[in-house]
């Protein structure tokens, strides 16, 4: 039995979010939520919210599943669309600013 939740177009780079996602993969859900709650990174709060959503999906959709026995099977962080902006520079030039987004998927299993 698996439960899944996806957050799309989250305004954080995939590279930074993968650092946090790697820490909770394979943990029991209760331990993973505690680790995320006390991790001082922006991505930790986002992954925490997605994991809570996946847990709610498991409780709602999967009948007879033991929520306390759930494990974090996988946390997938893919790149989303990039917002392209320009910053004016001297002598009429312009520099690119890439505002990157990501898609975060959390898969829980028993």
């Amino acid at each position: 039995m698996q439960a899944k939740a996806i957050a799309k177009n989250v305004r954080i780079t995939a590279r930074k979010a993968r650092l946090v996602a790697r820490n909770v993969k394979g943990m029991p859900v209760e331990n993973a939520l505690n680790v995320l709650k006390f991790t001082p990174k922006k991505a930790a709060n986002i992954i925490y919210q997605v994991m809570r959503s996946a847990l709610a999906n498991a409780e709602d959709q999967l009948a007879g599943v033991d929520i306390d026995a759930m494990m974090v099977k996988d946390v997938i962080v893919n790149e989303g669309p990039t917002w392209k902006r320009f910053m004016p520079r001297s002598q009429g030039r312009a520099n690119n600013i890439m505002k990157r987004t990501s898609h975060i998927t959390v898969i829980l299993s028993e």
Side-chain angles (χ1 to χ4, degrees), residues 3-91:
K4 182 164 92 167
I6 301 172
K8 291 192 170 192
N9 301 323
V10 179
R11 185 59 187 88
I12 191 166
T13 64
R15 186 173 178 180
K16 291 178 183 179
R18 283 185 193 119
L19 291 173
V20 177
R22 195 178 316 140
N23 291 336
V24 296
K25 192 185 275 190
M27 284 184 157
V29 172
E30 187 175 336
N31 293 350
L33 289 173
N34 285 334
V35 167
L36 289 172
K37 190 173 232 174
F38 296 108
T39 302
K41 295 248 181 213
K42 179 183 175 182
N45 186 35
I46 296 167
I47 295 173
Y48 179 84
Q49 291 174 352
V50 178
M51 195 170 294
R52 290 279 309 265
S53 177
L55 201 58
N57 290 343
E59 193 173 351
D60 187 45
Q61 296 171 358
L62 304 176
V65 69
D66 186 16
I67 299 298
D68 298 327
M70 298 288 279
M71 302 278 289
V72 180
K73 182 177 180 186
D74 207 1
V75 180
I76 303 165
V77 181
N78 294 323
E79 291 182 9
T82 300
W83 302 345
K84 295 173 179 74
R85 301 290 184 263
F86 295 100
M87 174 77 77
R89 291 296 178 199
S90 63
Q91 298 181 359

